[in-house]
Amino acid sequence: MAYDFRPSLPETGNVKHAAASCSLCPAANSCIVNGVTAVDLTHWSQARFGHVPLTAAGKALFEAGDVADAVYVVRAGCIKTFTVDQGGHERVRGFHFPGDIIGLDALGVNRYPAAATAVVPSQLCCVPRVALQGALSRSPLLMQRLLERTSRDLALSLALSGDYSAEQRVAAFVLNMQDRTAVAGWTAPVKLSMTRRDIANYLRLATETVCRTLTRFEQQGLLRVQDKTVLILNAAALYTHARPVGIVRSRQALPLAA
Amino acid sequence: MAYDFRPSLPETGNVKHAAASCSLCPAANSCIVNGVTAVDLTHWSQARFGHVPLTAAGKALFEAGDVADAVYVVRAGCIKTFTVDQGGHERVRGFHFPGDIIGLDALGVNRYPAAATAVVPSQLCCVPRVALQGALSRSPLLMQRLLERTSRDLALSLALSGDYSAEQRVAAFVLNMQDRTAVAGWTAPVKLSMTRRDIANYLRLATETVCRTLTRFEQQGLLRVQDKTVLILNAAALYTHARPVGIVRSRQALPLAA
DNA sequence: CGGTTCCTTGAGAGAACTCAACGTCGGTGG
DNA sequence: CCACCGACGTTGAGTTCTCTCAAGGAACCG
């Protein structure tokens, strides 16, 4: 597997720095550490190993089949995961934003089942397997958070596996993106940083169908499209379309420690 | 949840009988105990708790949301698992034949995510959770078998989630059924005991499309259909259709204990 | 400033769906 | 025992949705 693009893991000197920076992390609000107690945070910080920069779109984090020695938390940017079938066709499995965890699906099988590359310049937190397991065994709360996130991811991919119309899929996608990337609330525009082709592939539609559906939504006044930015004007109507798909919001309020 | 149809668990007196009957079980060849050593079989037999009969088609084994206190191994018959979405529409998740295990997807979440009902009169082996965990912890081989089966199930449902044509789906389905239910080799006819509606739902097609596709295959001489029985005449051609779907055979040769 | 990739729109084709009708089968009750 | 009923299976006709093919414009990069 091509590893040349992959930044070397930080030396020992970096670890302390990384461990100290959770409070400065731009993704802290949506990371699984959000709201955990100080002692749990300590466990987590000790598990984190350093940051991995992916300086440009298209840079690979790992390839499918690589030995899975770590999971990664997105700090900034957007990562897409995908597989390649025997026909050589790419199949986008998901998009991952700050706070999302990548590589969990490899915990059972030792190798990443899907490749991961940057959609835009990104930065990730590297959490070595052994360190993760250590932190989880010492902190039931972190374990619980992880399980919640895993089941949420599963539900999302399961929802997409149904057969839904293009309008249903696109509406669900836009709302899901809104929900997962919003920071300032419901009114902020959504940035679809990935290409239309990747969106279409993910939703199992043709690129043109995604375009046309977005255009139709715009004509109906449900949203406004400008390049990769989408402003939602009528979330209720979009939700009416998206409802049958099931899962729109992936980021529910995280329960505080009991 | 309606439990009235559910037979009461056997009393203590039945356990010994059940434990002694693995060698007599009609599903032994395809059960995960196939080929395991005597000591592993002992562990397994001690885990099994008794048999559950579902005397008629439509009888429910459990409902979605029920507390998952056991997994079940199909001894005879055919079980379908399904979920019901918020629109009240049934969604068939899978069909399970002798040797298949039902309820594994509840091991992590404590409740069955999908309901299970009999397609034809069936009989199952009940394996209580705690007993299963005990047997698995004592027998790495059983654990390995279980993991193999789980990943196989996952691959199968993942394969179906792609977007494939009706011909590809139906061909893959027929071959998969052939592969999973055949006992006497490649020439035996396949019994599709579930309704066309269930097949269509499972494959995410219309009932009529499944019918027409089977008819077309028959006209092309690939198979012969008579009610619920399908005789495969040209497996190679069917496989050509099914190939892109990926997973056709679920039951590979089980490796013997190393 | 070319060249490439991406995005958008149009036109046409094809696949699958819906609606509808009809035959069969199995169970139920008169 | 037979008539009736409902569920299932099959086939036809028409429609709709999405895909493919094609072309032009916009954005990005070297």
Side-chain angles (χ1 to χ4, degrees):
Chain A
M1 309 285 164
Y3 269 104
D4 49 304
F5 48 76
R6 190 171 176 179
S8 59
L9 290 174
E11 290 86 41
T12 324
N14 290 0
V15 177
K16 198 183 183 92
H17 172 67
S21 66
C22 259
S23 57
L24 299 174
C25 179
N29 281 338
S30 46
C31 185
I32 63 169
V33 303
N34 183 25
V36 301
T37 60
V39 56
D40 286 318
L41 185 57
T42 303
H43 290 150
W44 177 251
S45 293
Q46 287 169 353
R48 295 183 315 110
F49 196 66
H51 296 158
V52 177
L54 296 174
T55 55
K59 294 278 185 187
L61 179 64
F62 50 74
E63 304 287 338
D66 281 4
V67 172
D69 43 8
V71 303
Y72 298 87
V73 183
V74 181
R75 261 174 70 91
C78 175
I79 306 290
K80 84 170 173 184
T81 50
F82 62 95
T83 53
V84 178
D85 67 17
Q86 53 261 62
H89 300 97
E90 188 176 307
R91 174 84 185 279
V92 176
R93 286 293 168 85
F95 301 106
H96 307 275
F97 298 98
D100 290 343
I101 307 173
I102 299 173
L104 284 179
D105 48 358
L107 281 188
V109 290
N110 210 17
R111 286 177 180 274
Y112 299 114
T117 73
V119 170
V120 296
S122 305
Q123 194 181 37
L124 300 101
C125 238
C126 176
V127 184
R129 264 181 100 123
V130 285
L132 175 69
Q133 285 163 356
L136 293 179
S137 66
R138 284 190 292 272
S139 167
L141 180 58
L142 281 177
M143 173 62 96
Q144 184 195 331
R145 288 287 170 75
L146 203 70
L147 287 177
E148 287 167 5
R149 209 169 266 269
T150 308
S151 66
R152 213 191 294 163
D153 291 351
L154 201 64
L156 185 62
S157 66
L158 210 60
L160 252 308
S161 80
D163 85 316
Y164 301 106
S165 70
E167 294 198 345
Q168 290 171 329
R169 285 173 194 274
V170 173
F173 180 77
V174 171
L175 287 178
N176 185 251
M177 287 299 109
Q178 155 77 279
D179 181 57
R180 290 169 66 189
T181 61
V183 282
W186 202 241
T187 55
V190 189
K191 185 69 179 293
L192 303 180
S193 49
M194 65 295 293
T195 65
R196 297 283 193 271
R197 188 183 151 281
D198 278 341
I199 297 175
N201 187 314
Y202 175 61
L203 299 177
R204 266 162 292 145
L205 296 171
T207 306
E208 298 94 325
T209 304
V210 172
C211 266
R212 275 187 259 266
T213 306
L214 283 174
T215 303
R216 203 176 317 140
F217 283 159
E218 189 166 28
Q219 290 167 346
Q220 294 169 359
L222 305 190
L223 47 75
R224 228 170 64 195
V225 182
Q226 188 150 45
D227 300 326
K228 292 188 183 300
T229 302
V230 171
L231 180 62
I232 294 178
L233 299 175
N234 190 342
L238 280 176
Y239 185 68
T240 302
H241 279 112
R243 188 173 195 156
V245 182
I247 308 295
V248 167
R249 7 196 70 204
S250 68
R251 176 167 301 165
Q252 300 148 350
L254 292 173
L256 295 179
Chain B
M1 310 283 163
Y3 268 105
D4 48 306
F5 47 76
R6 191 172 176 179
S8 59
L9 291 174
E11 289 87 43
T12 323
N14 290 0
V15 177
K16 197 183 185 92
H17 173 67
S21 66
C22 260
S23 57
L24 299 174
C25 179
N29 281 338
S30 45
C31 185
I32 63 170
V33 304
N34 183 24
V36 301
T37 60
V39 56
D40 287 317
L41 185 58
T42 303
H43 291 149
W44 178 249
S45 293
Q46 287 169 353
R48 295 181 315 109
F49 197 65
H51 296 158
V52 177
L54 296 174
T55 55
K59 294 278 185 186
L61 180 63
F62 51 74
E63 303 287 337
D66 281 5
V67 173
D69 45 8
V71 303
Y72 297 87
V73 183
V74 182
R75 261 175 71 91
C78 174
I79 306 290
K80 84 170 173 184
T81 50
F82 61 95
T83 54
V84 178
D85 66 17
Q86 51 261 67
H89 298 97
E90 188 175 308
R91 175 84 184 279
V92 176
R93 286 294 168 84
F95 301 104
H96 308 274
F97 297 97
D100 291 344
I101 307 173
I102 299 174
L104 284 179
D105 47 358
L107 281 188
V109 290
N110 210 18
R111 286 177 181 274
Y112 298 113
T117 73
V119 169
V120 295
S122 305
Q123 194 180 37
L124 301 99
C125 238
C126 175
V127 184
R129 263 181 102 124
V130 285
L132 175 68
Q133 285 162 356
L136 293 179
S137 65
R138 283 190 294 273
S139 168
L141 179 58
L142 281 176
M143 173 64 95
Q144 185 195 332
R145 287 286 169 75
L146 202 70
L147 287 177
E148 285 167 6
R149 209 168 266 269
T150 307
S151 66
R152 212 191 294 164
D153 291 351
L154 201 64
L156 185 62
S157 67
L158 210 62
L160 252 307
S161 80
D163 82 320
Y164 302 106
S165 70
E167 293 198 346
Q168 290 170 331
R169 286 175 194 275
V170 173
F173 179 76
V174 170
L175 287 179
N176 185 251
M177 287 300 109
Q178 156 77 279
D179 182 56
R180 289 168 67 190
T181 61
V183 282
W186 202 240
T187 56
V190 189
K191 183 72 179 292
L192 303 179
S193 48
M194 65 295 292
T195 65
R196 297 283 194 270
R197 188 183 151 280
D198 278 340
I199 297 174
N201 186 314
Y202 175 62
L203 298 177
R204 266 162 291 144
L205 296 170
T207 306
E208 298 93 325
T209 304
V210 172
C211 267
R212 274 188 259 267
T213 306
L214 283 174
T215 302
R216 203 174 318 139
F217 283 159
E218 189 166 28
Q219 290 167 347
Q220 294 169 358
L222 305 190
L223 46 75
R224 227 170 63 194
V225 182
Q226 187 151 44
D227 301 325
K228 293 190 183 299
T229 302
V230 171
L231 180 62
I232 294 178
L233 299 175
N234 189 341
L238 280 177
Y239 186 68
T240 303
H241 280 112
R243 188 173 193 156
V245 182
I247 308 294
V248 167
R249 6 196 73 204
S250 68
R251 177 167 301 165
Q252 300 148 351
L254 293 172
L256 293 179

